[in-house]
Amino acid sequence: MMNYMQKVMVIGSPGAGKSTFARKLRDFTGLPLYYLDMLWHKPDRTNISREAFDLQLKEIVKKDRWIIDGNYQRTLSLRLKECDTVFLLDYPLELCLLSAESRIGTKREDMPWMETEFDEEFKQWIVDFPKKQLPQIYEMLENDRKNKMIYIFKSREEADAYLAQQRGL
């Protein structure tokens, strides 16, 4: 099943549910899952250096099989070059904001600490995402459309229906 899907990117706005989708994908494909937030962030809420992040990411993309969850636009082209499948979760802004706010106070396997407040800077990042990040993502995907399986979901229902279909449910 799904032999073509060996190197997978899951991208989209913060709060879209990338990590949840990536976990569901991992659970039935058996592909190892890497969270970019876990690479970038330290448990003490600081970050590793860009150089250290890039080195770790380059090691991951060299592997034969993976799911990489996270946007990190600066390194998108590196991951895009190496992957065979892309899932873009392009969900409405309000859904992403509500979702990001609702996970505050929840321990997550994709983040090295528990968020205790809805950080204003992070909230603004989400608000700006459709205008600042999304057009660049679409442009990059368009340039690679012939060489990759690219799935763009506009709702959680679309993503869930895809997963159910793949699992044969």
Side-chain angles (χ1 to χ4, degrees), residues 84-150:
D84 55 46
T85 308
V86 178
F87 292 97
L88 169 58
L89 309 184
D90 182 4
Y91 297 167
L93 173 60
E94 286 307 311
L95 176 71
C96 295
L97 285 167
L98 280 171
S99 191
E101 191 169 18
S102 74
R103 66 187 185 203
I104 292 166
T106 305
K107 182 158 177 36
R108 300 164 33 205
E109 78 176 57
D110 56 293
M111 196 67 162
W113 69 74
M114 186 167 48
E115 296 165 296
T116 55
E117 63 179 336
F118 199 4
D119 179 71
E120 281 304 315
E121 192 178 323
F122 182 55
K123 187 177 190 177
Q124 191 60 50
W125 178 262
I126 298 171
V127 168
D128 292 341
F129 186 86
K131 297 182 293 275
K132 291 186 175 176
Q133 310 282 318
L134 212 46
Q136 294 172 341
I137 290 171
Y138 272 105
E139 186 178 326
M140 290 174 90
L141 293 180
E142 190 54 44
N143 292 337
D144 246 333
R145 189 163 278 292
K146 292 186 253 348
N147 310 319
K148 316 274 178 211
M149 293 296 301
I150 298 175

Side-chain angles (χ1 to χ4, degrees), residues 7 18 25 28 55 71 78 81 101-102 146 151:
K7 297 181 176 188
K18 295 180 299 296
L25 204 56
F28 75 88
L55 279 174
N71 247 39
L78 168 69
K81 191 175 87 175
E101 191 169 18
S102 74
K146 292 186 253 348
Y151 299 91

Side-chain angles (χ1 to χ4, degrees), residues 25-76:
L25 204 56
R26 171 200 64 198
D27 290 348
F28 75 88
T29 62
L31 294 170
L33 172 56
Y34 302 93
Y35 300 109
L36 294 183
D37 280 344
M38 291 296 282
L39 290 183
W40 178 244
H41 298 291
K42 295 181 184 178
D44 67 0
R45 296 180 184 247
T46 61
N47 305 325
I48 64 173
S49 70
R50 281 183 170 201
E51 295 77 18
F53 178 85
D54 291 354
L55 279 174
Q56 286 185 53
L57 183 57
K58 285 175 182 164
E59 286 303 309
I60 292 168
V61 299
K62 279 189 219 168
K63 296 177 187 282
D64 292 336
R65 306 170 72 236
W66 43 259
I67 299 170
I68 298 177
D69 157 51
N71 247 39
Y72 291 75
Q73 205 96 339
R74 185 179 65 78
T75 63
L76 200 59

